[in-house]
Amino acid sequence: MGLRGVLVYCHCGRHIALDADRWPYSVRLSELEQRFVCQGCGSRGADVRPDFAPPKMGTNV
Ligand SMILES: [Zn+2]
């Protein structure tokens, strides 16, 4: 409960939000880090962080 997705940060500066229900709960975030391939630079090993607090619509900081 509470986890609606993950935020994947690549070292190249790109980041993407993914829905948590894409993967079974048995998959750990550390495994996602190894599986994720950045669409920008094509490298693996991104920094995956749980997304507990969804950004408010219309808020653009
Ligand atoms: Zn990248």
Side-chain angles (χ1 to χ4, degrees):
M1 58 185 247
L3 179 63
R4 63 186 297 274
V6 294
L7 296 175
V8 183
Y9 293 88
C10 180
H11 61 80
C12 74
R14 279 175 174 259
H15 67 273
I16 186 172
L18 300 176
D19 292 330
D21 43 288
R22 282 197 189 188
W23 300 280
Y25 288 105
S26 59
V27 177
R28 296 175 181 272
L29 293 184
S30 59
E31 295 183 42
L32 293 181
E33 290 184 352
Q34 297 176 358
R35 294 183 184 184
F36 182 80
V37 179
C38 178
Q39 295 181 351
C41 66
S43 68
R44 291 176 179 264
D47 183 17
V48 178
R49 303 175 189 176
D51 180 16
F52 290 108
K56 293 182 179 180
M57 299 295 288
T59 302
N60 199 1
V61 179

